[in-house]
Amino acid sequence: MANGYHGVILRIDLTTREIRKEAVANAFYRTYMGGGAVGAYYLLKETTGTTDPMDPANIITIAPSVTTGPAVTGVSRCSVVSLSPLTGAVGEGQAGGSIGPMIKRAGIDAIVITGRSAKPCYLYVSSENIELRDASMLQGQSVSETFDRLSDELGNTKLSIIQCGPAGEKQVRFASLMVDRNNVVGRTGLGAVFGSKNLRAVAVRGDGNIDFANPEQLKSFNKLAKERLETAGFPGILKKSGTPGVFAIQAKNGNTATHNFSRSYHQDYIQLDAETIEKTISSGKATCFGCIVACRKRVSATTPYQFNDKLGGPEFETLSLLGSNLDIMNAAAVGKANEMCNEFGLDTITTGAMASYVMESMEKGVLLAEQNGGKTLHFGSPEDLFDLIRKIATRTGIGDILADGFKHAINTFGKATEHYAIHAKGQGLPAHMAQVKPSQALMYATCPIGGDHMSAEHDWFLNENDDLCRGLGIFGSGDAASTNLAKARMTAYSQHYYSLLDTLTLCMFMWGPGSLFSYRDLEDLLLYTTGWQCTLWELMKVGERKTNMMKQINAKRGFSRTDDVLPERLYQPLPDGPAKGKCVDRERFAEMLGHYYNLMGWDPETGNPSAGKLVELGLDWVL
Ligand code: SF4
């Protein structure tokens, strides 16, 4: 029966250069479905509690899902999972574009890579041919140069490329993976895993077919999307302006990282909002495979800073972390810094958090100019930011220390700098302020991949008698600022749903609660792609399973409740703006954490999955 997947996982050992296709049973797909859950499965099965993320024994999995491949809005993302060189815990990120559909069209459900190549290489995959090729000519080349070079060599029809940039080659611990021209697997330093394996890129030609259970019905989703887009709120903003469209909304409500997270409101926020971007640097937009929304903005400028639109423009998070958080309120300056991060292959969030750590440590006199060749770096200076990005990406001077992450930097520069390092488990915090959003405080502290804003719904979601909220089994009430049991339950349950979206590699912008598609649409998507009559209950358990597998990987590696912590700064009241006085309340937060562990079925002492929870989710093999 046509079911949307091939039953084939590609295994690559870069040390032995072995390439083999592993046949996988149907039951595996029904249990794990794809994306982050497949990646977590291989890490749990085949790495130990002491495997170093940079060791050849680490595994990196590139996985779409059972629903990937049809030309439907928001179903084209792809997940990458590995042990994170940045946090030492499990790492995961997703990107859009076309890499997921191309992998499926090459006749493969996921690519699982281990080992280390003796020489720089890239992996080429098509339905006829899979081989490891020499990549020495790509060494030191920028992301767009590598993209152009491989496209010239391989022809660009039906081709998708995922690559680390020069920063990944240098094993910068927060290096990203870049997908095609507009998409980034930004978080947890997975570009450094590519670098540690001497793997510069994976190029996939998707020239085959995928047999779906009901291809005709799949076409109905984009018709629905078109109709609903007319009246949709958030998807409409994305279509018009991309994620920069929410910058002004968040900023004027006092929810945007400012001056190294010490404030949440910047009086000049208008300089980075969507209208300013449109007037000053916008140069068009792009989309992911099959998506009618096309939210990926492209930007270019010649003055005051020069950059082109070969790669994607700054997203909301980048505008905050490379903009307001550094007091750089100039769209062209952020556009330039964004281009530099993309061309080097650096996560803009952790790069921005690292830059504000250095600038504030220097401002407060706990990090001396001598550590940077005699030069002090200042907030508000684009040139200082550009200089720092270059040094980090090339591991030059102070950049060599910063490239190894916050923990290494604090050990080197001294404990006095720790207060200015705003991270969770070593990963720079996103722009949404935990002082304003208690759900995000919970997620930043507990998320298995470190501080992340896309792992659960935000506080607005807890609405009494709202079908969206009740539909996920959430009940109780509380306003946006509440920290009660209902809020903890909302966070935990919506985390299952978001984890499911990452498992099915669906776009949260389109498939998240209240967006273009409903919970019932999701059941239909499974039916039309795989033929399975899934219920929302089954699907929520799939999401919960993935979160538990990731938490269990961390438990195996020695992580526990003592690692589920927030930076001290978040407990201090915000000094000004619409959120003046708000902070994470220490006692209430501890209480909320307790509720959350109980709701998740995790041991409140250790914060790790209980044996009962693992058995309930069919993960008894982990024990
Ligand atoms: S909404 Fe944006 S990120 Fe999501 S699939 Fe469409 S283009 Fe890609």
Side-chain angles (χ1 to χ4, degrees), residues 581-596:
K582 289 196 174 166
C583 63
V584 179
D585 181 283
R586 211 176 287 277
E587 272 176 34
R588 277 196 240 144
F589 182 65
E591 196 178 78
M592 209 177 169
L593 264 180
H595 289 321
Y596 173 79

Side-chain angles (χ1 to χ4, degrees), residues 74 77 238 286-288 291 293-296 507 509-510:
R77 291 179 74 80
L238 289 176
T287 195
C288 299
C291 179
V293 174
C295 79
R296 318 327 299 261
C507 174
F509 296 157
M510 297 297 114

Side-chain angles (χ1 to χ4, degrees), residues 91-324:
E92 184 188 16
Q94 295 87 25
S98 62
I99 187 77
M102 291 304 131
I103 289 172
K104 292 285 291 285
R105 280 162 197 265
I108 285 157
D109 299 313
I111 304 172
V112 181
I113 302 168
T114 190
R116 176 184 291 147
S117 172
K119 291 187 181 151
C121 70
Y122 77 91
L123 174 67
Y124 175 67
V125 178
S126 73
S127 32
E128 291 87 39
N129 186 20
I130 300 168
E131 60 181 310
L132 288 165
R133 296 182 173 184
D134 177 43
S136 46
M137 75 294 186
L138 301 175
Q139 293 292 280
Q141 301 280 296
S142 72
V143 164
S144 63
E145 285 166 344
T146 297
F147 183 87
D148 290 344
R149 196 136 179 191
L150 287 181
S151 298
D152 285 349
E153 188 171 313
L154 303 168
N156 59 12
T157 325
K158 297 182 180 172
L159 185 77
S160 183
I161 297 167
I162 181 168
Q163 61 165 309
C164 72
E169 283 176 357
K170 295 269 184 195
Q171 299 180 35
V172 175
R173 287 178 187 265
F174 43 97
S176 62
L177 289 167
M178 300 295 295
V179 177
D180 302 332
R181 290 197 179 278
N182 295 289
N183 306 283
V184 188
V185 179
R187 312 249 60 204
T188 66
L190 301 178
V193 179
F194 263 44
S196 74
K197 295 189 174 307
N198 250 331
L199 175 70
R200 178 61 198 263
V202 175
V204 184
R205 165 152 293 114
D207 47 7
N209 290 323
I210 313 162
D211 291 328
F212 292 111
N214 195 333
E216 275 311 303
Q217 285 285 21
L218 282 169
K219 290 180 189 159
S220 66
F221 284 109
N222 269 4
K223 283 188 204 135
L224 271 180
K226 224 174 247 171
E227 284 162 26
R228 293 174 184 172
L229 201 48
E230 305 275 302
T231 52
F234 178 54
I237 293 173
L238 289 176
K239 182 164 180 61
K240 183 166 177 253
S241 309
T243 58
V246 299
F247 186 82
I249 301 169
Q250 299 295 346
K252 74 176 162 215
N253 286 322
N255 183 40
T256 307
T258 302
H259 203 90
N260 197 22
F261 296 85
S262 66
R263 302 172 60 207
S264 67
Y265 175 77
H266 201 295
Q267 61 285 358
D268 299 328
Y269 71 84
I270 223 77
Q271 299 303 328
L272 297 180
D273 84 338
E275 270 184 45
T276 305
I277 288 176
E278 197 56 44
K279 279 191 224 140
T280 53
I281 59 172
S282 178
S283 66
K285 56 188 188 170
T287 195
C288 299
F289 180 86
C291 179
I292 66 160
V293 174
C295 79
R296 318 327 299 261
K297 292 297 288 182
R298 302 178 82 161
V299 296
S300 64
T302 49
T303 180
Y305 303 102
Q306 194 171 2
F307 52 94
N308 61 46
D309 62 1
K310 283 189 178 170
L311 305 176
E315 302 287 348
F316 163 73
E317 289 292 331
T318 305
L319 289 166
S320 303
L321 269 298
L322 297 180
S324 57

